[in-house]
Amino acid sequence: MSFAKAATADPIQSVSIPSYTRLTAKPDPHVAFTVSVSLPTRSYSIQQRYSAFTALQQKLAATCGAPPPGELPPKHPGSWFLSPFAGARNLSDDQLDERRQGLERWLRAILADRDPRWRSSRAFKDFLAAPPQGDAEGAADGATATARDWTAGAWTAEHAALEGLARQLRTTLDRRDTQLLANSAQAHSTAKEGKTQLVDLVRRVGDLARGLQALAKDGMTEGELQRRSGLVQRLQGEIEDLGRKTGSGPRVGAGRTGAAGNASAGEEETPTGARQALLSGAKAPARVLGAAAASKSLETPETRALDTGGIMQLQQQYMDDQDSKLEALTAALRRQRHLGEMINAELALQEDVLDQLETGTDRVKGKIKEANKQMKRL
């Protein structure tokens, strides 16, 4: 089993509501509940009011096809008779603490339920300002994890797996060359297998390189990061060599046909011609991709060894990586917004305290002035 399969599928490890705050700042005084979220690599807190919990429950019931497990704590009967502008902030501390515990049980019930549709929904993650769920893709011996799932041991295991995959790819290419020399009909399928392995190897090495960024954020020493960066560079050099080997060998199907146009005529290339092609090291003409007719921009060593399907798969991987980065950026901006709201609420609270202090100071000054007048009369 690969480390990605053993990792937790959901980035949210636990949630809790340790406290609440009465916000009296106008024009929207309310009670905010502090929600603490624990991720595999960090923890953070946001503040949500009770109405946000009820809105989330309605959204989950509408988008997931069924209401979430557990029940939200109902409004206190006494709050029904309060002014709509007062609401929960006029409840007692015991009543608010009871509501806090009920909201915490409700969130934990969603997170612990065997059915993942509620906790994996975008509405739930947006409510908690959580990063997008790490996606894993199956590969030869497992899958790679996104950068937020990397640990030192997982990185080492993935590096060892990629070294084994590189050796396996070299063996596949050697077998392809042998089959071409023997004019075997299996050469085409072997070459296609090698290209598929190369695409997977390129993708996973890219993930491995991005994993170093996560390890650096987790506090890995500079020396260890440099050592691992050297390992990645050597692996990338090995991949470039394998890419050249994939593209420099006899063309796929050369053992059976002299060219694609001669396939229908049944003209087969002799083993001697295939051997000469191998010894000469002749490379296939470089393709020009996209709007290359005007720019004459040739393909990179990464795409040179790939067929059209492989290039499309590599392009799709790049697009998926960009989408993942955009989702992570969106989650970070959402957390920044919550931090800004918390700072604004704290400033409003401090301003209210300063106003009360100023009012008390004026009252005390008035009393002192009146006392001084009486002292003078005495």
Side-chain angles (χ1 to χ4, degrees):
M1 177 184 295
S2 67
F3 68 90
K5 291 183 180 179
T8 303
D10 201 307
I12 303 175
Q13 302 292 302
S14 63
V15 293
S16 63
I17 305 180
S19 61
Y20 60 86
T21 305
R22 297 178 185 265
L23 302 177
T24 58
K26 296 180 180 180
D28 186 25
H30 62 277
V31 174
F33 295 90
T34 302
V35 183
S36 296
V37 184
S38 177
L39 302 178
T41 57
R42 64 186 182 277
S43 299
Y44 63 93
S45 298
I46 60 173
Q47 286 189 335
Q48 297 284 13
R49 58 196 302 173
Y50 179 79
S51 59
F53 285 88
T54 58
L56 174 63
Q57 184 186 39
Q58 296 172 1
K59 187 176 295 185
L60 290 177
T63 58
C64 298
E71 294 184 359
L72 278 176
K75 287 189 174 182
H76 194 272
S79 64
W80 298 341
F81 304 100
L82 298 176
S83 168
F85 300 100
R89 63 190 177 93
N90 284 346
L91 297 178
S92 65
D93 290 339
D94 291 340
Q95 292 170 340
L96 286 177
D97 190 66
E98 181 181 358
R99 175 175 291 183
R100 177 193 64 80
Q101 295 176 10
L103 294 175
E104 183 177 85
R105 287 193 299 269
W106 183 70
L107 289 178
R108 289 182 173 177
I110 294 177
L111 198 62
D113 195 79
R114 297 181 63 181
D115 192 339
R117 53 179 165 170
W118 296 286
R119 64 173 177 268
S120 61
S121 66
R122 181 172 294 275
F124 185 70
K125 293 184 182 300
D126 288 346
F127 176 81
L128 296 179
Q133 179 172 340
D135 54 319
E137 297 180 13
D141 293 322
T144 58
T146 56
R148 58 182 170 272
D149 295 327
W150 289 109
T151 63
W155 194 97
T156 302
E158 177 67 3
H159 177 265
L162 291 181
E163 285 185 329
L165 185 59
R167 291 191 295 269
Q168 180 181 355
L169 175 57
R170 188 172 293 276
T171 302
T172 301
L173 295 177
D174 291 340
R175 187 171 71 252
R176 176 208 63 180
D177 294 344
T178 303
Q179 291 171 350
L180 286 174
L181 288 173
N183 201 20
S184 173
Q186 297 179 354
H188 179 77
S189 60
T190 304
K192 186 176 181 180
E193 177 186 355
K195 291 179 180 180
T196 302
Q197 293 177 357
L198 180 62
V199 171
D200 182 59
L201 189 60
V202 170
R203 176 181 59 81
R204 293 175 66 179
V205 168
D207 292 338
L208 193 70
R210 287 187 290 271
L212 289 177
Q213 301 176 3
L215 295 178
K217 293 179 181 179
D218 290 342
M220 180 171 285
T221 61
E222 185 67 24
E224 180 64 16
L225 286 173
Q226 291 180 358
R227 185 187 72 83
R228 296 186 180 224
S229 178
L231 294 177
V232 173
Q233 291 177 2
R234 285 195 291 272
L235 196 54
Q236 289 174 342
E238 176 73 9
I239 292 175
E240 290 181 2
D241 182 62
L242 289 171
R244 288 190 293 269
K245 183 176 177 64
T246 303
S248 63
R251 296 179 63 84
V252 176
R256 292 185 292 123
T257 60
N262 298 331
S264 59
E267 298 179 358
E268 298 185 355
E269 186 181 19
T270 61
T272 303
R275 182 186 299 273
Q276 291 177 354
L278 278 177
L279 296 178
S280 64
K283 297 184 180 180
R287 290 171 296 184
V288 182
L289 305 178
S295 63
K296 299 298 182 183
S297 57
L298 299 179
E299 56 186 316
T300 63
E302 195 175 35
T303 61
R304 186 173 295 117
L306 305 179
D307 56 10
T308 303
I311 292 176
M312 294 295 294
Q313 183 178 356
L314 187 61
Q315 182 183 13
Q316 184 63 40
Q317 175 62 30
Y318 287 155
M319 294 174 62
D320 293 341
D321 291 343
Q322 291 176 357
D323 292 342
S324 177
K325 291 178 181 178
L326 287 175
E327 290 180 357
L329 178 61
T330 301
L333 292 176
R334 194 179 301 119
R335 289 193 294 272
Q336 292 295 331
R337 185 199 69 186
H338 279 285
L339 287 175
E341 292 176 350
M342 293 173 64
I343 293 173
N344 182 61
E346 182 66 23
L347 290 176
L349 181 62
Q350 295 296 332
E351 183 180 359
D352 189 31
V353 172
L354 289 176
D355 290 341
Q356 295 178 8
L357 179 61
E358 185 178 0
T359 302
T361 302
D362 293 340
R363 185 169 58 252
V364 171
K365 284 183 179 179
K367 291 182 178 180
I368 292 176
K369 186 176 181 180
E370 185 66 24
N372 288 334
K373 290 181 180 179
Q374 293 181 3
M375 289 292 294
K376 289 180 180 180
R377 283 198 295 268
L378 291 176

